[in-house]
Amino acid sequence: MKTREYLTAIILSVISAFIYNLVTKKFPSFDILKKILSIVSKNLSSYYSAIFIFLVVFLLVILYYKNRGGISFAVISSSQKPEYIRLRGLHSRFGVIWSFLCGHTLLSVLIDKTAGDYVYVEGPFCPKCLTEVIESSKNWILCKKQVWICPKCNRTVYRSNKFYRAEKKIVEKSIERDLRIKDFILINGKKEPELKDNTTYVFEIK
Ligand SMILES: [Zn+2]
């Protein structure tokens, strides 16, 4: 925890308490907290609810920062795009390119305090022109083969039967592993490197 994070927690708590106090002064019937707290003690001043709000918000913000602390990939998988992105990158696998975000949503942190950041995979994209590919099938001798086709350059990538429809999950798990043990290549500058298969490339680390 940094001083800046404590300061943020204090400022947010003061603002929340101030707003709560302002609202309940104008509309005393909204002060449900005071009614609850009056069970403990009957003669409470109107500031007790505000102090209570201050403490709750302060603790929530501190917990939020604590869970974020360090790059700890106690990764949960999620189908929801992260709102707070810690890093982004690329991964080449199954003949196509996958992009990923690693971060969290405020909700994911509130629901599971140990959740931390998770990997969200997007794509796949064409290895030649990086257009998002579409799923299709092709007749191959007597059987049908599942493929990815690039709508821009028509490149066709045959999908493996063994991992059909599990590709994204496999890529997600591989990236999680690479980030967790810091087995990735950091990309500096804007130029994208030649992507090696089954390797995670990371653009930025916040
Ligand atoms: Zn293409």
Side-chain angles (χ1 to χ4, degrees):
M1 287 287 293
K2 298 175 196 144
T3 320
R4 206 186 66 183
E5 292 169 352
Y6 277 113
L7 275 174
T8 312
I10 291 170
I11 290 166
L12 284 177
S13 313
V14 169
I15 292 171
S16 313
F18 180 74
I19 292 171
Y20 186 84
N21 204 30
L22 214 68
V23 171
T24 50
K25 260 194 178 158
K26 278 212 159 206
F27 310 98
S29 58
F30 279 139
D31 202 349
I32 303 154
L33 267 178
K34 197 180 169 188
K35 282 175 197 139
I36 297 169
L37 289 170
S38 69
I39 298 166
V40 187
S41 171
K42 288 243 181 290
N43 306 310
L44 287 175
S45 83
S46 60
Y47 291 107
Y48 269 80
S49 310
I51 293 167
F52 189 75
I53 291 284
F54 176 92
L55 289 174
V56 169
V57 174
F58 183 79
L59 280 173
L60 279 177
V61 178
I62 295 290
L63 267 175
Y64 169 76
Y65 278 125
K66 253 196 138 82
N67 291 330
R68 255 181 28 150
I71 301 185
S72 57
F73 294 98
V75 217
I76 56 155
S77 309
S78 174
S79 52
Q80 204 191 343
K81 197 169 179 170
E83 292 156 358
Y84 303 91
I85 296 153
R86 187 184 293 274
L87 51 88
R88 56 185 81 236
L90 295 171
H91 191 93
S92 166
R93 189 87 180 265
F94 302 113
V96 282
I97 308 290
W98 308 79
S99 74
F100 69 90
L101 303 170
C102 182
H104 59 269
T105 60
L106 192 57
L107 197 67
S108 73
V109 172
L110 288 176
I111 290 171
D112 183 356
K113 303 250 184 302
T114 58
D117 295 318
Y118 59 86
V119 171
Y120 174 83
V121 178
E122 290 175 311
F125 302 91
C126 170
K128 202 170 150 196
C129 70
L130 289 180
T131 307
E132 187 157 10
V133 293
I134 51 168
E135 297 185 340
S136 187
S137 60
K138 272 197 167 184
N139 290 323
W140 190 73
I141 309 176
L142 282 175
C143 58
K144 257 196 161 91
K145 278 281 204 182
Q146 300 299 325
V147 291
W148 280 305
I149 294 180
C150 172
K152 192 173 168 78
C153 71
N154 281 329
R155 181 153 178 165
T156 304
V157 177
Y158 285 89
R159 296 172 72 171
S160 111
N161 287 332
K162 194 174 168 190
F163 301 118
Y164 178 63
R165 289 208 174 272
E167 296 102 332
K168 202 171 200 163
K169 201 78 200 158
I170 293 167
V171 168
E172 185 188 298
K173 294 289 158 206
S174 305
I175 296 169
E176 279 174 14
R177 174 259 177 209
D178 291 349
L179 294 179
R180 195 168 48 239
I181 65 165
K182 295 192 170 62
D183 180 16
F184 56 78
I185 296 171
L186 202 61
I187 305 173
N188 291 315
K190 279 184 182 152
K191 200 171 168 284
E192 278 165 24
E194 191 84 10
L195 298 179
K196 277 190 274 175
D197 200 51
N198 202 358
T199 307
T200 297
Y201 293 82
V202 169
F203 277 118
E204 51 187 296
I205 298 184
K206 280 180 193 164

